[in-house]
Amino acid sequence: MPNAAIRSNLLVPEIREVMDIRQASDYLGISPDTLYKYASENFVPAFKLGNRWRFKRSRLDEWMDKQSDMHSGVDATKKKPVQSAL
């Protein structure tokens, strides 16, 4: 059984908190060129370490949540809990 766990870890890339442009573009599902453009235009949360763009996973997650709320017409400050039908 331990060998199966080791093999499965090889198939799943590690997602770090701070990612470079290649890792972040894979995480977001967009091309590195598009992500570079977005970072340069301050469209996505990013910072430079030296002359290289870096992206915090938690900030990207927050940004994606806000983007999805804006495009679905939901006001994030007025979300209501979902009630299950019993």
Side-chain angles (χ1 to χ4, degrees):
M1 251 338 174
N3 289 339
I6 291 170
R7 274 186 252 128
S8 68
N9 286 340
L10 296 175
L11 300 175
V12 179
E14 180 183 356
I15 299 175
R16 297 175 170 248
E17 175 61 17
V18 177
M19 299 179 279
D20 63 22
I21 201 153
R22 182 189 52 78
Q23 294 165 326
S25 67
D26 286 344
Y27 182 68
L28 294 172
I30 61 176
S31 75
D33 290 340
T34 300
L35 184 56
Y36 182 86
K37 179 181 179 233
Y38 288 171
S40 299
E41 296 172 349
N42 294 321
F43 183 65
V44 296
F47 64 96
K48 278 199 164 183
L49 190 59
N51 64 347
R52 310 273 179 164
W53 285 108
R54 296 290 185 249
F55 305 84
K56 286 183 73 176
R57 183 183 49 78
S58 58
R59 298 280 315 275
L60 290 175
D61 289 340
E62 292 170 5
W63 175 78
M64 285 190 293
D65 286 343
K66 289 178 186 173
Q67 292 297 309
S68 66
D69 288 346
M70 284 180 11
H71 292 291
S72 68
V74 174
D75 183 350
T77 61
K78 296 181 182 178
K79 282 187 179 177
K80 294 181 181 176
V82 175
Q83 294 179 346
S84 62
L86 296 176

